[in-house]
Amino acid sequence: MTKLKFSSLEGAEQNFAMLDLIPDTHAWIKNTQGRFVYGNRLFFERFGFSSLQGLLGKCDYDIAPASLAEKYCSDDAQVLRGSVVNDRLELIIGENQTGDWFLTSKWPIFNFRDRIIGSFGISRHLNKTEGT
């Protein structure tokens, strides 16, 4: 895959707005501190937020049980070292405390100096059609 390159993470939602059109798919961007700077509509609504603003600045421990958040953060640490996570089977628990299975992939985001400035993740729902 081609490297994801941006001058910064500011305005990320403009670059990824089309991901709201894809059913069954969660997408997000985190900064190097593991804080969300973007999430598509299905992603932020899954965790009970009515808008992206509710998600911004949160981390995995704010939205997921600690045991799951620990795994998500472990994968993020690999990505922030330059690795890619492909098709990891993950349980994601939403606001209503029910879990669903997803295939998750994550990539580092680089700036134009080839420094990692964040991570991009996408999860495809395996169980049912969500958001259609």
Side-chain angles (χ1 to χ4, degrees):
M1 178 180 164
T2 304
K3 283 185 179 179
L4 294 170
K5 285 194 168 197
F6 296 97
S7 58
S8 75
L9 296 180
E10 291 181 34
E13 66 276 2
Q14 295 172 3
N15 294 307
F16 293 93
M18 73 292 228
L19 294 173
D20 281 334
L21 302 174
I22 304 172
D24 303 329
T25 302
H26 294 171
W28 63 92
I29 295 173
K30 294 180 192 172
N31 62 23
T32 55
Q33 290 77 45
R35 301 280 173 187
F36 292 99
V37 299
Y38 168 76
N40 71 337
R41 178 167 301 281
L42 282 177
F43 188 71
F44 66 73
E45 286 180 347
R46 179 171 195 83
F47 298 104
F49 302 111
S50 60
S51 73
L52 175 59
Q53 294 304 312
L55 177 69
L56 298 180
K58 301 259 189 295
C59 70
D60 288 316
Y61 287 94
D62 295 323
I63 63 172
S67 60
L68 295 176
E70 186 175 321
K71 180 61 182 143
Y72 305 155
C73 290
S74 174
D75 285 347
D76 290 348
Q78 289 180 29
V79 170
L80 293 175
R81 289 190 299 270
S83 295
V84 172
V85 172
N86 280 314
D87 292 334
R88 165 112 46 232
L89 183 63
E90 288 186 331
L91 178 65
I92 299 177
I93 296 176
E95 171 193 34
N96 60 9
Q97 299 302 307
T98 61
D100 294 305
W101 291 99
F102 289 78
L103 279 182
T104 298
S105 296
K106 299 177 180 181
W107 300 270
I109 299 173
F110 296 84
N111 67 13
F112 294 124
R113 293 180 173 169
D114 257 355
R115 292 191 179 122
I116 295 174
I117 58 171
S119 63
F120 170 67
I122 193 162
S123 291
R124 181 86 177 151
H125 199 286
L126 295 179
N127 298 344
K128 62 181 179 181
T129 301
E130 179 180 39
T132 56

